[in-house]
Amino acid sequence: MLTKKNDIIKAATRLFSYQGFEGTSTRQIIKEAGISDPLLYYHFKSKDDLYIQIVNATFEKYFSRMESLPQ
């Protein structure tokens, strides 16, 4: 199941980066990830929730890398 969540995140990230948040529909994410509607909503409450989780994970990785750099 975790693999499907990662598939959703990868598909959504790709679509958001090319089309923007407003230009991307949940239907496109579902099709790109190769999943069903219920599976998207099993992992994420909404498109907004998915986007927020992607942004938060990106910033966490960024700040983690920044902290590991020498002062």
Side-chain angles (χ1 to χ4, degrees), residues 16-32:
F16 290 149
S17 69
Y18 287 113
Q19 302 175 174
F21 177 80
E22 293 296 327
T24 301
S25 68
T26 54
R27 179 75 47 217
Q28 289 173 312
I29 295 167
I30 289 164
K31 183 178 178 183
E32 180 84 11

Side-chain angles (χ1 to χ4, degrees), residues 5 8-9 21 26 29-30 37-54:
K5 184 175 181 178
I8 296 166
I9 291 169
F21 177 80
T26 54
I29 295 167
I30 289 164
D37 288 22
L39 193 56
L40 175 69
Y41 295 107
Y42 173 79
H43 290 291
F44 305 97
K45 295 176 192 166
S46 63
K47 184 174 89 166
D48 289 352
D49 180 44
L50 172 57
Y51 185 78
I52 289 166
Q53 287 193 40
I54 291 170

